[in-house]
Amino acid sequence: QVQLVESGGGSVQPGGSLKLSCAASGSIFRINAMGWYRQAPGKERELVAQIDSGARSDYADSVKGRFTISRDNAANTVYLQMSSLKPEDTAVYFCNAEIFPTRQSSYEITYWGKGTLVTVSS
C-alpha cells in the first residue's frame, strides 16, 4: 500500500505565498516522476508542475516564474512553492507520483493524494 498525503493548503490574499508538501509512504522501491495538479470548481484537472527523478522540472505556462517544484528523494516528498498567487490559482491541488512498489515490480503505478484546498481571495 502506498499513500500520498498533501499538506500546506489554506487561504491567502492575492500576491501571497504558500508552500505545499506531499509525502509518499508505504511500499516504495523507487519513485520516478512526481507532480502537482489542480482542479478548480467546474473545471478539469490540469497539470501544474512535474519533476522527474533527476530533478528536471516542467511547468504550466500559467504558473511559470511564480511556482517552483522540488523534491526530497530521501524523504519521498515533493514540494510546490507558490508565490505571487492570483485568484485564478484557487483550486484543490493534488500530488501524484509514479512508483515502483517493490524491486520485483516490472512497471510503475501512478498514485494520487486526496488533495489540499488553496484559496486566493482578498
Side-chain angles (χ1 to χ4, degrees), residues 35-39 45-48 92-94 96 112:
W36 288 96
Y37 288 70
R38 67 185 180 187
Q39 187 167 17
R45 189 174 298 189
E46 63 175 359
L47 174 66
V48 176
V92 178
Y93 284 71
F94 300 87
N96 79 344
W112 289 87

Side-chain angles (χ1 to χ4, degrees), residues 42-63:
K43 295 189 176 181
E44 294 187 352
R45 189 174 298 189
E46 63 175 359
L47 174 66
V48 176
Q50 58 187 5
I51 184 168
D52 67 14
S53 56
R56 290 175 291 268
S57 58
D58 191 25
Y59 298 89
D61 288 342
S62 59
V63 307

Side-chain angles (χ1 to χ4, degrees), residues 47-101:
L47 174 66
V48 176
Q50 58 187 5
I51 184 168
D52 67 14
S53 56
R56 290 175 291 268
S57 58
D58 191 25
Y59 298 89
D61 288 342
S62 59
V63 307
K64 282 181 181 177
R66 300 189 298 121
F67 291 9
T68 302
I69 190 170
S70 60
R71 63 190 284 173
D72 181 342
N73 291 328
N76 293 332
T77 299
V78 62
Y79 305 97
L80 186 68
Q81 176 67 54
M82 306 184 293
S83 303
S84 301
L85 283 161
K86 305 175 181 180
E88 50 263 44
D89 295 318
T90 295
V92 178
Y93 284 71
F94 300 87
C95 71
N96 79 344
E98 299 172 349
I99 296 174
F100 287 91

